PDB file of all heavy atoms in Angstrom:
ATOM      1  N   PHE A 418      25.102   6.527  13.791  1.00  0.00           N
ATOM      2  CA  PHE A 418      24.071   7.076  14.673  1.00  0.00           C
ATOM      3  C   PHE A 418      23.786   8.541  14.313  1.00  0.00           C
ATOM      4  O   PHE A 418      22.624   8.947  14.157  1.00  0.00           O
ATOM      5  CB  PHE A 418      24.533   6.961  16.133  1.00  0.00           C
ATOM      6  CG  PHE A 418      23.594   7.616  17.093  1.00  0.00           C
ATOM      7  CD1 PHE A 418      22.393   7.008  17.448  1.00  0.00           C
ATOM      8  CD2 PHE A 418      23.882   8.869  17.634  1.00  0.00           C
ATOM      9  CE1 PHE A 418      21.541   7.625  18.334  1.00  0.00           C
ATOM     10  CE2 PHE A 418      23.019   9.491  18.507  1.00  0.00           C
ATOM     11  CZ  PHE A 418      21.836   8.861  18.868  1.00  0.00           C
ATOM     12  N   PHE A 419      24.901   9.309  14.190  1.00  0.00           N
ATOM     13  CA  PHE A 419      24.707  10.718  13.835  1.00  0.00           C
ATOM     14  C   PHE A 419      24.067  10.873  12.455  1.00  0.00           C
ATOM     15  O   PHE A 419      23.225  11.736  12.217  1.00  0.00           O
ATOM     16  CB  PHE A 419      26.051  11.464  13.898  1.00  0.00           C
ATOM     17  CG  PHE A 419      26.512  11.767  15.284  1.00  0.00           C
ATOM     18  CD1 PHE A 419      27.693  11.224  15.786  1.00  0.00           C
ATOM     19  CD2 PHE A 419      25.753  12.593  16.114  1.00  0.00           C
ATOM     20  CE1 PHE A 419      28.109  11.501  17.076  1.00  0.00           C
ATOM     21  CE2 PHE A 419      26.189  12.879  17.411  1.00  0.00           C
ATOM     22  CZ  PHE A 419      27.366  12.331  17.895  1.00  0.00           C
ATOM     23  N   LEU A 420      24.499  10.007  11.526  1.00  0.00           N
ATOM     24  CA  LEU A 420      23.936  10.071  10.173  1.00  0.00           C
ATOM     25  C   LEU A 420      22.445   9.762  10.185  1.00  0.00           C
ATOM     26  O   LEU A 420      21.640  10.460   9.554  1.00  0.00           O
ATOM     27  CB  LEU A 420      24.697   9.096   9.273  1.00  0.00           C
ATOM     28  CG  LEU A 420      24.227   9.026   7.815  1.00  0.00           C
ATOM     29  CD1 LEU A 420      24.396  10.385   7.141  1.00  0.00           C
ATOM     30  CD2 LEU A 420      25.012   7.952   7.055  1.00  0.00           C
ATOM     31  N   MET A 421      22.081   8.742  10.921  1.00  0.00           N
ATOM     32  CA  MET A 421      20.667   8.374  11.003  1.00  0.00           C
ATOM     33  C   MET A 421      19.851   9.450  11.714  1.00  0.00           C
ATOM     34  O   MET A 421      18.718   9.748  11.339  1.00  0.00           O
ATOM     35  CB  MET A 421      20.528   7.025  11.737  1.00  0.00           C
ATOM     36  CG  MET A 421      21.095   5.845  10.949  1.00  0.00           C
ATOM     37  SD  MET A 421      20.916   4.279  11.809  1.00  0.00           S
ATOM     38  CE  MET A 421      19.147   4.097  11.787  1.00  0.00           C
ATOM     39  N   THR A 422      20.489  10.056  12.756  1.00  0.00           N
ATOM     40  CA  THR A 422      19.793  11.135  13.471  1.00  0.00           C
ATOM     41  C   THR A 422      19.522  12.314  12.550  1.00  0.00           C
ATOM     42  O   THR A 422      18.437  12.895  12.506  1.00  0.00           O
ATOM     43  CB  THR A 422      20.628  11.609  14.668  1.00  0.00           C
ATOM     44  OG1 THR A 422      20.838  10.506  15.539  1.00  0.00           O
ATOM     45  CG2 THR A 422      19.915  12.721  15.420  1.00  0.00           C
ATOM     46  N   LYS A 423      20.550  12.674  11.760  1.00  0.00           N
ATOM     47  CA  LYS A 423      20.382  13.795  10.834  1.00  0.00           C
ATOM     48  C   LYS A 423      19.363  13.478   9.759  1.00  0.00           C
ATOM     49  O   LYS A 423      18.561  14.320   9.356  1.00  0.00           O
ATOM     50  CB  LYS A 423      21.731  14.147  10.202  1.00  0.00           C
ATOM     51  CG  LYS A 423      22.693  14.835  11.148  1.00  0.00           C
ATOM     52  CD  LYS A 423      23.954  15.249  10.428  1.00  0.00           C
ATOM     53  CE  LYS A 423      24.895  15.993  11.374  1.00  0.00           C
ATOM     54  NZ  LYS A 423      26.120  16.447  10.687  1.00  0.00           N
ATOM     55  N   MET A 424      19.424  12.221   9.296  1.00  0.00           N
ATOM     56  CA  MET A 424      18.458  11.829   8.267  1.00  0.00           C
ATOM     57  C   MET A 424      17.035  11.873   8.807  1.00  0.00           C
ATOM     58  O   MET A 424      16.102  12.343   8.134  1.00  0.00           O
ATOM     59  CB  MET A 424      18.790  10.423   7.750  1.00  0.00           C
ATOM     60  CG  MET A 424      20.049  10.371   6.888  1.00  0.00           C
ATOM     61  SD  MET A 424      20.449   8.691   6.347  1.00  0.00           S
ATOM     62  CE  MET A 424      19.017   8.356   5.325  1.00  0.00           C
ATOM     63  N   ALA A 425      16.869  11.430  10.031  1.00  0.00           N
ATOM     64  CA  ALA A 425      15.544  11.458  10.654  1.00  0.00           C
ATOM     65  C   ALA A 425      15.058  12.890  10.819  1.00  0.00           C
ATOM     66  O   ALA A 425      13.891  13.218  10.566  1.00  0.00           O
ATOM     67  CB  ALA A 425      15.590  10.742  12.003  1.00  0.00           C
ATOM     68  N   ALA A 426      15.984  13.762  11.261  1.00  0.00           N
ATOM     69  CA  ALA A 426      15.613  15.173  11.436  1.00  0.00           C
ATOM     70  C   ALA A 426      15.256  15.809  10.098  1.00  0.00           C
ATOM     71  O   ALA A 426      14.325  16.601   9.985  1.00  0.00           O
ATOM     72  CB  ALA A 426      16.769  15.926  12.095  1.00  0.00           C
ATOM     73  N   ALA A 427      16.046  15.418   9.077  1.00  0.00           N
ATOM     74  CA  ALA A 427      15.776  15.975   7.748  1.00  0.00           C
ATOM     75  C   ALA A 427      14.419  15.526   7.237  1.00  0.00           C
ATOM     76  O   ALA A 427      13.641  16.318   6.681  1.00  0.00           O
ATOM     77  CB  ALA A 427      16.874  15.566   6.778  1.00  0.00           C
ATOM     78  N   PHE A 428      14.133  14.235   7.418  1.00  0.00           N
ATOM     79  CA  PHE A 428      12.823  13.720   6.983  1.00  0.00           C
ATOM     80  C   PHE A 428      11.686  14.391   7.738  1.00  0.00           C
ATOM     81  O   PHE A 428      10.640  14.730   7.178  1.00  0.00           O
ATOM     82  CB  PHE A 428      12.772  12.198   7.188  1.00  0.00           C
ATOM     83  CG  PHE A 428      13.478  11.429   6.107  1.00  0.00           C
ATOM     84  CD1 PHE A 428      14.485  10.534   6.416  1.00  0.00           C
ATOM     85  CD2 PHE A 428      13.130  11.618   4.762  1.00  0.00           C
ATOM     86  CE1 PHE A 428      15.130   9.823   5.418  1.00  0.00           C
ATOM     87  CE2 PHE A 428      13.780  10.904   3.773  1.00  0.00           C
ATOM     88  CZ  PHE A 428      14.785   9.992   4.108  1.00  0.00           C
ATOM     89  N   HIS A 429      11.896  14.591   9.036  1.00  0.00           N
ATOM     90  CA  HIS A 429      10.871  15.242   9.854  1.00  0.00           C
ATOM     91  C   HIS A 429      10.635  16.685   9.403  1.00  0.00           C
ATOM     92  O   HIS A 429       9.500  17.152   9.285  1.00  0.00           O
ATOM     93  CB  HIS A 429      11.297  15.211  11.326  1.00  0.00           C
ATOM     94  CG  HIS A 429      10.295  15.855  12.249  1.00  0.00           C
ATOM     95  ND1 HIS A 429       9.047  15.301  12.498  1.00  0.00           N
ATOM     96  CD2 HIS A 429      10.363  17.014  12.966  1.00  0.00           C
ATOM     97  CE1 HIS A 429       8.392  16.080  13.318  1.00  0.00           C
ATOM     98  NE2 HIS A 429       9.169  17.134  13.618  1.00  0.00           N
ATOM     99  N   SER A 430      11.777  17.377   9.152  1.00  0.00           N
ATOM    100  CA  SER A 430      11.665  18.771   8.702  1.00  0.00           C
ATOM    101  C   SER A 430      10.967  18.848   7.351  1.00  0.00           C
ATOM    102  O   SER A 430      10.122  19.704   7.110  1.00  0.00           O
ATOM    103  CB  SER A 430      13.058  19.384   8.617  1.00  0.00           C
ATOM    104  OG  SER A 430      12.989  20.696   8.086  1.00  0.00           O
ATOM    105  N   GLN A 431      11.336  17.911   6.455  1.00  0.00           N
ATOM    106  CA  GLN A 431      10.709  17.908   5.141  1.00  0.00           C
ATOM    107  C   GLN A 431       9.214  17.631   5.229  1.00  0.00           C
ATOM    108  O   GLN A 431       8.400  18.220   4.513  1.00  0.00           O
ATOM    109  CB  GLN A 431      11.399  16.853   4.252  1.00  0.00           C
ATOM    110  CG  GLN A 431      10.906  16.843   2.809  1.00  0.00           C
ATOM    111  CD  GLN A 431      11.276  18.105   2.086  1.00  0.00           C
ATOM    112  OE1 GLN A 431      12.248  18.771   2.433  1.00  0.00           O
ATOM    113  NE2 GLN A 431      10.490  18.461   1.077  1.00  0.00           N
ATOM    114  N   ALA A 432       8.870  16.741   6.136  1.00  0.00           N
ATOM    115  CA  ALA A 432       7.448  16.417   6.327  1.00  0.00           C
ATOM    116  C   ALA A 432       6.675  17.633   6.807  1.00  0.00           C
ATOM    117  O   ALA A 432       5.547  17.895   6.360  1.00  0.00           O
ATOM    118  CB  ALA A 432       7.318  15.259   7.326  1.00  0.00           C
ATOM    119  N   GLN A 433       7.288  18.397   7.741  1.00  0.00           N
ATOM    120  CA  GLN A 433       6.626  19.598   8.234  1.00  0.00           C
ATOM    121  C   GLN A 433       6.463  20.632   7.108  1.00  0.00           C
ATOM    122  O   GLN A 433       5.434  21.287   6.993  1.00  0.00           O
ATOM    123  CB  GLN A 433       7.434  20.205   9.385  1.00  0.00           C
ATOM    124  CG  GLN A 433       7.326  19.429  10.678  1.00  0.00           C
ATOM    125  CD  GLN A 433       8.067  20.131  11.798  1.00  0.00           C
ATOM    126  OE1 GLN A 433       9.052  20.828  11.546  1.00  0.00           O
ATOM    127  NE2 GLN A 433       7.596  19.944  13.014  1.00  0.00           N
ATOM    128  N   ILE A 434       7.527  20.764   6.290  1.00  0.00           N
ATOM    129  CA  ILE A 434       7.454  21.718   5.178  1.00  0.00           C
ATOM    130  C   ILE A 434       6.351  21.330   4.216  1.00  0.00           C
ATOM    131  O   ILE A 434       5.555  22.159   3.768  1.00  0.00           O
ATOM    132  CB  ILE A 434       8.810  21.789   4.450  1.00  0.00           C
ATOM    133  CG1 ILE A 434       9.867  22.428   5.346  1.00  0.00           C
ATOM    134  CG2 ILE A 434       8.677  22.546   3.121  1.00  0.00           C
ATOM    135  CD1 ILE A 434      11.266  22.359   4.791  1.00  0.00           C
ATOM    136  N   LEU A 435       6.301  20.046   3.899  1.00  0.00           N
ATOM    137  CA  LEU A 435       5.264  19.575   2.973  1.00  0.00           C
ATOM    138  C   LEU A 435       3.876  19.788   3.547  1.00  0.00           C
ATOM    139  O   LEU A 435       2.930  20.181   2.838  1.00  0.00           O
ATOM    140  CB  LEU A 435       5.495  18.102   2.641  1.00  0.00           C
ATOM    141  CG  LEU A 435       6.722  17.797   1.789  1.00  0.00           C
ATOM    142  CD1 LEU A 435       6.917  16.288   1.659  1.00  0.00           C
ATOM    143  CD2 LEU A 435       6.572  18.428   0.410  1.00  0.00           C
ATOM    144  N   GLN A 436       3.753  19.517   4.851  1.00  0.00           N
ATOM    145  CA  GLN A 436       2.452  19.693   5.507  1.00  0.00           C
ATOM    146  C   GLN A 436       2.039  21.151   5.502  1.00  0.00           C
ATOM    147  O   GLN A 436       0.899  21.502   5.190  1.00  0.00           O
ATOM    148  CB  GLN A 436       2.532  19.159   6.935  1.00  0.00           C
ATOM    149  CG  GLN A 436       1.169  19.194   7.645  1.00  0.00           C
ATOM    150  CD  GLN A 436       1.271  18.605   9.042  1.00  0.00           C
ATOM    151  OE1 GLN A 436       2.347  18.191   9.470  1.00  0.00           O
ATOM    152  NE2 GLN A 436       0.153  18.554   9.739  1.00  0.00           N
ATOM    153  N   THR A 437       3.010  22.055   5.835  1.00  0.00           N
ATOM    154  CA  THR A 437       2.713  23.492   5.843  1.00  0.00           C
ATOM    155  C   THR A 437       2.384  23.987   4.447  1.00  0.00           C
ATOM    156  O   THR A 437       1.458  24.762   4.243  1.00  0.00           O
ATOM    157  CB  THR A 437       3.911  24.272   6.401  1.00  0.00           C
ATOM    158  OG1 THR A 437       4.210  23.793   7.719  1.00  0.00           O
ATOM    159  CG2 THR A 437       3.609  25.769   6.442  1.00  0.00           C
ATOM    160  N   SER A 438       3.188  23.513   3.479  1.00  0.00           N
ATOM    161  CA  SER A 438       2.961  23.932   2.098  1.00  0.00           C
ATOM    162  C   SER A 438       1.603  23.503   1.607  1.00  0.00           C
ATOM    163  O   SER A 438       0.888  24.233   0.945  1.00  0.00           O
ATOM    164  CB  SER A 438       4.057  23.355   1.200  1.00  0.00           C
ATOM    165  OG  SER A 438       3.800  23.657  -0.144  1.00  0.00           O
ATOM    166  N   SER A 439       1.236  22.267   2.011  1.00  0.00           N
ATOM    167  CA  SER A 439      -0.076  21.773   1.603  1.00  0.00           C
ATOM    168  C   SER A 439      -1.195  22.602   2.202  1.00  0.00           C
ATOM    169  O   SER A 439      -2.168  22.940   1.544  1.00  0.00           O
ATOM    170  CB  SER A 439      -0.216  20.302   2.024  1.00  0.00           C
ATOM    171  OG  SER A 439      -1.508  19.828   1.720  1.00  0.00           O
ATOM    172  N   ALA A 440      -1.033  22.960   3.493  1.00  0.00           N
ATOM    173  CA  ALA A 440      -2.052  23.766   4.169  1.00  0.00           C
ATOM    174  C   ALA A 440      -2.157  25.139   3.530  1.00  0.00           C
ATOM    175  O   ALA A 440      -3.246  25.650   3.269  1.00  0.00           O
ATOM    176  CB  ALA A 440      -1.723  23.885   5.659  1.00  0.00           C
ATOM    177  N   ASN A 441      -0.983  25.752   3.282  1.00  0.00           N
ATOM    178  CA  ASN A 441      -0.994  27.084   2.666  1.00  0.00           C
ATOM    179  C   ASN A 441      -1.586  27.057   1.275  1.00  0.00           C
ATOM    180  O   ASN A 441      -2.289  27.962   0.853  1.00  0.00           O
ATOM    181  CB  ASN A 441       0.430  27.649   2.597  1.00  0.00           C
ATOM    182  CG  ASN A 441       0.973  28.026   3.961  1.00  0.00           C
ATOM    183  OD1 ASN A 441       0.181  28.205   4.891  1.00  0.00           O
ATOM    184  ND2 ASN A 441       2.290  28.127   4.080  1.00  0.00           N
ATOM    185  N   SER A 442      -1.251  25.959   0.572  1.00  0.00           N
ATOM    186  CA  SER A 442      -1.785  25.841  -0.784  1.00  0.00           C
ATOM    187  C   SER A 442      -3.291  25.745  -0.766  1.00  0.00           C
ATOM    188  O   SER A 442      -3.981  26.355  -1.574  1.00  0.00           O
ATOM    189  CB  SER A 442      -1.189  24.607  -1.460  1.00  0.00           C
ATOM    190  OG  SER A 442      -1.737  24.414  -2.731  1.00  0.00           O
ATOM    191  N   SER A 443      -3.816  25.014   0.201  1.00  0.00           N
ATOM    192  CA  SER A 443      -5.275  24.884   0.306  1.00  0.00           C
ATOM    193  C   SER A 443      -5.912  26.218   0.631  1.00  0.00           C
ATOM    194  O   SER A 443      -6.930  26.604   0.053  1.00  0.00           O
ATOM    195  CB  SER A 443      -5.629  23.862   1.389  1.00  0.00           C
ATOM    196  OG  SER A 443      -5.091  22.596   1.071  1.00  0.00           O
ATOM    197  N   GLU A 444      -5.278  26.939   1.588  1.00  0.00           N
ATOM    198  CA  GLU A 444      -5.837  28.237   1.976  1.00  0.00           C
ATOM    199  C   GLU A 444      -5.743  29.232   0.828  1.00  0.00           C
ATOM    200  O   GLU A 444      -6.651  30.002   0.584  1.00  0.00           O
ATOM    201  CB  GLU A 444      -5.084  28.794   3.196  1.00  0.00           C
ATOM    202  CG  GLU A 444      -5.335  27.974   4.462  1.00  0.00           C
ATOM    203  CD  GLU A 444      -4.478  28.490   5.604  1.00  0.00           C
ATOM    204  OE1 GLU A 444      -3.710  29.445   5.367  1.00  0.00           O
ATOM    205  OE2 GLU A 444      -4.567  27.933   6.706  1.00  0.00           O
ATOM    206  N   THR A 445      -4.587  29.174   0.137  1.00  0.00           N
ATOM    207  CA  THR A 445      -4.391  30.137  -0.948  1.00  0.00           C
ATOM    208  C   THR A 445      -5.324  29.852  -2.101  1.00  0.00           C
ATOM    209  O   THR A 445      -5.881  30.749  -2.711  1.00  0.00           O
ATOM    210  CB  THR A 445      -2.930  30.080  -1.441  1.00  0.00           C
ATOM    211  OG1 THR A 445      -2.077  30.327  -0.354  1.00  0.00           O
ATOM    212  CG2 THR A 445      -2.707  31.112  -2.550  1.00  0.00           C
ATOM    213  N   ASN A 446      -5.496  28.590  -2.384  1.00  0.00           N
ATOM    214  CA  ASN A 446      -6.354  28.228  -3.507  1.00  0.00           C
ATOM    215  C   ASN A 446      -7.785  28.638  -3.285  1.00  0.00           C
ATOM    216  O   ASN A 446      -8.473  29.054  -4.202  1.00  0.00           O
ATOM    217  CB  ASN A 446      -6.299  26.729  -3.766  1.00  0.00           C
ATOM    218  CG  ASN A 446      -4.968  26.312  -4.390  1.00  0.00           C
ATOM    219  OD1 ASN A 446      -4.294  27.147  -4.976  1.00  0.00           O
ATOM    220  ND2 ASN A 446      -4.602  25.041  -4.263  1.00  0.00           N
ATOM    221  N   ALA A 447      -8.237  28.517  -2.046  1.00  0.00           N
ATOM    222  CA  ALA A 447      -9.633  28.879  -1.773  1.00  0.00           C
ATOM    223  C   ALA A 447      -9.894  30.347  -2.048  1.00  0.00           C
ATOM    224  O   ALA A 447     -10.787  30.685  -2.809  1.00  0.00           O
ATOM    225  CB  ALA A 447      -9.994  28.517  -0.333  1.00  0.00           C
ATOM    226  N   PRO A 448      -9.113  31.294  -1.484  1.00  0.00           N
ATOM    227  CA  PRO A 448      -9.345  32.701  -1.787  1.00  0.00           C
ATOM    228  C   PRO A 448      -9.142  33.024  -3.256  1.00  0.00           C
ATOM    229  O   PRO A 448      -9.849  33.813  -3.819  1.00  0.00           O
ATOM    230  CB  PRO A 448      -8.324  33.440  -0.928  1.00  0.00           C
ATOM    231  CG  PRO A 448      -8.005  32.504   0.185  1.00  0.00           C
ATOM    232  CD  PRO A 448      -8.119  31.139  -0.410  1.00  0.00           C
ATOM    233  N   LYS A 449      -8.117  32.343  -3.864  1.00  0.00           N
ATOM    234  CA  LYS A 449      -7.891  32.647  -5.268  1.00  0.00           C
ATOM    235  C   LYS A 449      -9.101  32.269  -6.090  1.00  0.00           C
ATOM    236  O   LYS A 449      -9.502  32.963  -7.005  1.00  0.00           O
ATOM    237  CB  LYS A 449      -6.664  31.897  -5.779  1.00  0.00           C
ATOM    238  CG  LYS A 449      -5.358  32.573  -5.437  1.00  0.00           C
ATOM    239  CD  LYS A 449      -4.212  31.862  -6.101  1.00  0.00           C
ATOM    240  CE  LYS A 449      -2.910  32.585  -5.786  1.00  0.00           C
ATOM    241  NZ  LYS A 449      -1.755  31.915  -6.367  1.00  0.00           N
ATOM    242  N   SER A 450      -9.671  31.142  -5.743  1.00  0.00           N
ATOM    243  CA  SER A 450     -10.856  30.720  -6.463  1.00  0.00           C
ATOM    244  C   SER A 450     -11.978  31.719  -6.292  1.00  0.00           C
ATOM    245  O   SER A 450     -12.660  32.093  -7.234  1.00  0.00           O
ATOM    246  CB  SER A 450     -11.294  29.340  -5.943  1.00  0.00           C
ATOM    247  OG  SER A 450     -12.481  28.950  -6.560  1.00  0.00           O
ATOM    248  N   GLU A 451     -12.141  32.213  -5.030  1.00  0.00           N
ATOM    249  CA  GLU A 451     -13.185  33.196  -4.785  1.00  0.00           C
ATOM    250  C   GLU A 451     -12.862  34.501  -5.492  1.00  0.00           C
ATOM    251  O   GLU A 451     -13.734  35.110  -6.076  1.00  0.00           O
ATOM    252  CB  GLU A 451     -13.312  33.448  -3.275  1.00  0.00           C
ATOM    253  CG  GLU A 451     -13.859  32.246  -2.519  1.00  0.00           C
ATOM    254  CD  GLU A 451     -13.870  32.501  -1.023  1.00  0.00           C
ATOM    255  OE1 GLU A 451     -13.517  33.617  -0.623  1.00  0.00           O
ATOM    256  OE2 GLU A 451     -14.229  31.594  -0.278  1.00  0.00           O
ATOM    257  N   THR A 452     -11.559  34.897  -5.420  1.00  0.00           N
ATOM    258  CA  THR A 452     -11.172  36.151  -6.060  1.00  0.00           C
ATOM    259  C   THR A 452     -11.395  36.082  -7.553  1.00  0.00           C
ATOM    260  O   THR A 452     -11.907  36.998  -8.171  1.00  0.00           O
ATOM    261  CB  THR A 452      -9.688  36.461  -5.772  1.00  0.00           C
ATOM    262  OG1 THR A 452      -9.504  36.536  -4.369  1.00  0.00           O
ATOM    263  CG2 THR A 452      -9.260  37.761  -6.431  1.00  0.00           C
ATOM    264  N   THR A 453     -11.004  34.936  -8.129  1.00  0.00           N
ATOM    265  CA  THR A 453     -11.195  34.779  -9.563  1.00  0.00           C
ATOM    266  C   THR A 453     -12.650  34.851  -9.916  1.00  0.00           C
ATOM    267  O   THR A 453     -13.059  35.526 -10.856  1.00  0.00           O
ATOM    268  CB  THR A 453     -10.613  33.428 -10.023  1.00  0.00           C
ATOM    269  OG1 THR A 453      -9.238  33.378  -9.669  1.00  0.00           O
ATOM    270  CG2 THR A 453     -10.782  33.259 -11.523  1.00  0.00           C
ATOM    271  N   ASN A 454     -13.463  34.159  -9.123  1.00  0.00           N
ATOM    272  CA  ASN A 454     -14.897  34.182  -9.394  1.00  0.00           C
ATOM    273  C   ASN A 454     -15.470  35.568  -9.231  1.00  0.00           C
ATOM    274  O   ASN A 454     -16.273  36.024 -10.032  1.00  0.00           O
ATOM    275  CB  ASN A 454     -15.624  33.214  -8.459  1.00  0.00           C
ATOM    276  CG  ASN A 454     -15.294  31.762  -8.788  1.00  0.00           C
ATOM    277  OD1 ASN A 454     -14.886  31.462  -9.907  1.00  0.00           O
ATOM    278  ND2 ASN A 454     -15.452  30.874  -7.809  1.00  0.00           N
ATOM    279  N   ASN A 455     -15.020  36.229  -8.111  1.00  0.00           N
ATOM    280  CA  ASN A 455     -15.534  37.578  -7.885  1.00  0.00           C
ATOM    281  C   ASN A 455     -15.107  38.514  -8.993  1.00  0.00           C
ATOM    282  O   ASN A 455     -15.883  39.326  -9.469  1.00  0.00           O
ATOM    283  CB  ASN A 455     -15.035  38.118  -6.537  1.00  0.00           C
ATOM    284  CG  ASN A 455     -15.701  37.408  -5.371  1.00  0.00           C
ATOM    285  OD1 ASN A 455     -16.752  36.803  -5.534  1.00  0.00           O
ATOM    286  ND2 ASN A 455     -15.073  37.486  -4.197  1.00  0.00           N
ATOM    287  N   THR A 456     -13.804  38.375  -9.373  1.00  0.00           N
ATOM    288  CA  THR A 456     -13.321  39.242 -10.438  1.00  0.00           C
ATOM    289  C   THR A 456     -14.076  38.995 -11.720  1.00  0.00           C
ATOM    290  O   THR A 456     -14.461  39.900 -12.426  1.00  0.00           O
ATOM    291  CB  THR A 456     -11.814  38.997 -10.658  1.00  0.00           C
ATOM    292  OG1 THR A 456     -11.130  39.244  -9.443  1.00  0.00           O
ATOM    293  CG2 THR A 456     -11.269  39.899 -11.750  1.00  0.00           C
TER     294      THR A 456
END
């Protein structure tokens, strides 16, 4: 039970990290693209 609970928490945490990373990557890529173009 504890192992499954930890695994579930780990999967949930990883999912949040991936989701945040994806969002940040999208936001970062957009300005970088504009900055590159502007530069």
Side-chain angles (χ1 to χ4, degrees):
F418 175 76
F419 284 117
L420 180 61
M421 292 180 67
T422 301
K423 287 185 178 182
M424 289 178 64
F428 281 124
H429 180 69
S430 175
Q431 185 67 26
Q433 286 184 331
I434 292 172
L435 291 174
Q436 185 178 1
T437 302
S438 175
S439 176
N441 289 341
S442 176
S443 300
E444 292 175 359
T445 303
N446 287 338
K449 279 186 178 178
S450 176
E451 292 176 3
T452 302
T453 302
N454 291 338
N455 289 340
T456 302

